Amino acid sequence: MLSRTADHLFWLSRYIERAENTARMLDIAYQTSLQPQSADESEQTWRSLVSISELNGLFGSRYAQINARNVMEFMVADENNLSSIFNCLRAARENARAVRGALTTEVWETMNQTWLEFRRLLRDGALARDPSQLFEWVKYRSHLSRGVTVGTMLQDEAFHFIRIGSFLERADNTARLLDVKFYRQDQEQAQSQGQGEPELPGHDAARDFYYWSAVLRSVSGFEIYRKVYSNVIQPEKVAELLILRPDMPRSLSHCVTRMQANLKRVANGHSAETLRRVGRLEAELAFGRIDEILAEGLHPFLDGFLAEVADLGVRISEDFLVPSA
């Protein structure tokens, strides 16, 4: 397969997945903002979302204040933000258009219709009217795109590059989704220690329950959690489910395992080191324990994981997607 074609296929799936996961993170923040909280807590919720997405500088240059309205506008509809849902769906459609010959008619029509319909929804004020409903629509269209791809495409190299892009992006975004909470928690703990305030047992227990419920629902994991653990929602169990459970479709372990399997199907003479690194990461997750991860700190663990995923993205690009000179 031509490197140029592989590149378009890899990125069209990454952009669709990124749009979905941006919608998931925004939905958590929006649902959390509906709970009783102070103005400072509300601002911190939206600030942590922008920080985890590494968009502080661009946001600050575009908006004077961090609040729900500005952050959602920035991350959903802002054409200057390359990671906005608007730009992700547009880029997915443009990449699909560039390689229509490698896609089935159903895949192309799904990508094209998603982009056209999303523009119409924005023009009709869907974001201001009901953000959650718009986020659900984005997730549904991503599910539809993925289902049509799996259900209609020949499982050749084109299919494998699409799947590699999907699982790489999903691993990255699941880690960020978890880190939205722990980033904020670390900030609050540091502030509390700086002020010499003791941590109260059970402090904000009800709020945490609703927050973690929202996290699980955002990854379609609420019923799965109940089935696997059969007890009340505990943050460490949520982390275990989304990091180490290989049978959880959006867990880090599952994503890395599936990415490795698809990479093996397209391996070439340049990809041995990339396969070694993804294999090492898969083994770390397969044999990891949540108590050890929490003892070292979940936020540092997720930071390290994100760095490894970013490195894999660069290596995949060099091994398969960039034409040799």
Side-chain angles (χ1 to χ4, degrees):
M1 173 177 288
L2 291 174
S3 298
R4 180 174 61 254
T5 301
D7 185 75
H8 285 303
L9 294 167
F10 177 77
W11 280 104
L12 78 85
S13 61
R14 287 200 68 172
Y15 281 124
I16 284 289
E17 191 73 33
R18 187 174 300 178
E20 176 186 350
N21 284 284
T22 298
R24 290 177 182 276
M25 287 196 294
L26 285 169
D27 200 26
I28 287 180
Y30 178 67
Q31 295 296 335
T32 302
S33 72
L34 299 179
Q35 301 173 21
Q37 57 184 307
S38 68
D40 287 343
E41 289 174 326
S42 177
E43 179 180 331
Q44 185 57 45
T45 295
W46 296 104
R47 185 183 300 279
S48 64
L49 184 58
V50 174
S51 298
I52 291 301
S53 302
E54 300 180 358
L55 295 170
N56 304 67
L58 181 60
F59 181 88
S61 69
R62 299 277 298 152
Y63 300 89
Q65 183 179 6
I66 289 185
N67 54 38
R69 178 180 177 182
N70 287 346
V71 173
M72 285 195 289
E73 175 69 23
F74 175 67
M75 299 195 73
V76 173
D78 194 324
E79 296 185 40
N80 293 290
N81 174 15
L82 296 180
S83 293
S84 69
I85 294 175
F86 178 92
N87 277 322
C88 285
L89 295 182
R90 177 167 62 180
R93 188 258 189 183
E94 290 305 307
N95 277 283
R97 185 168 65 89
V99 289
R100 284 188 63 177
L103 304 173
T104 61
T105 299
E106 290 88 346
V107 173
W108 158 247
E109 289 181 348
T110 299
M111 298 280 189
N112 190 45
Q113 186 60 36
T114 296
W115 164 240
L116 296 175
E117 180 68 9
F118 183 72
R119 286 198 305 172
R120 185 193 67 78
L121 288 170
L122 288 183
R123 287 196 303 268
D124 291 348
L127 178 59
R129 184 170 57 252
D130 191 341
S132 279
Q133 186 176 29
L134 181 62
F135 300 148
E136 285 297 324
W137 182 90
V138 173
K139 289 187 280 184
Y140 169 77
R141 295 302 298 189
S142 178
H143 296 328
L144 181 61
S145 170
R146 189 160 48 249
V148 169
T149 298
V150 173
T152 68
M153 284 191 64
L154 182 68
Q155 295 192 13
D156 57 2
E157 283 189 329
F159 176 84
H160 293 307
F161 279 114
I162 289 174
R163 299 298 280 166
I164 290 167
S166 292
F167 286 118
L168 181 69
E169 189 68 31
R170 187 184 300 178
D172 179 274
N173 282 280
T174 296
R176 293 180 188 276
L177 187 69
L178 269 175
D179 211 20
V180 166
K181 172 62 176 177
F182 283 91
Y183 175 89
R184 178 182 175 184
Q185 202 169 56
D186 287 350
Q187 298 297 311
E188 291 174 346
Q189 184 176 3
Q191 183 178 10
S192 175
Q193 290 174 349
Q195 296 174 351
E197 298 175 359
E199 185 177 353
L200 299 178
H203 179 61
D204 284 342
R207 183 179 302 169
D208 278 350
F209 171 82
Y210 288 114
Y211 179 87
W212 289 112
S213 296
V215 170
L216 288 169
R217 292 184 190 282
S218 77
V219 295
S220 305
F222 186 80
E223 291 81 6
I224 293 174
Y225 181 94
R226 294 295 196 190
K227 182 176 182 179
V228 171
Y229 297 106
S230 302
N231 60 12
V232 297
I233 296 174
Q234 300 172 337
E236 62 272 19
K237 296 298 185 183
V238 176
E240 181 180 58
L241 181 71
L242 296 183
I243 294 173
L244 299 178
R245 289 285 305 198
D247 50 356
M248 171 63 184
R250 305 196 72 84
S251 74
L252 306 188
S253 177
H254 181 83
C255 291
V256 173
T257 298
R258 300 311 304 157
M259 181 167 50
Q260 180 189 36
N262 283 277
L263 276 170
K264 287 181 177 178
R265 300 295 295 273
V266 297
N268 60 29
H270 307 288
S271 60
E273 178 61 17
T274 300
L275 284 171
R276 187 188 72 83
R277 294 195 179 209
V278 73
R280 183 181 64 187
L281 184 57
E282 192 274 337
E284 290 174 358
L285 292 169
F287 296 100
R289 292 176 51 180
I290 195 61
D291 55 338
E292 295 175 348
I293 292 173
L294 293 175
E296 295 176 6
L298 188 55
H299 183 61
F301 170 83
L302 293 171
D303 271 352
F305 179 85
L306 288 169
E308 292 193 59
V309 167
D311 178 68
L312 284 174
V314 172
R315 289 181 174 278
I316 290 169
S317 179
E318 292 174 347
D319 291 345
F320 303 104
L321 312 180
V322 179
S324 57

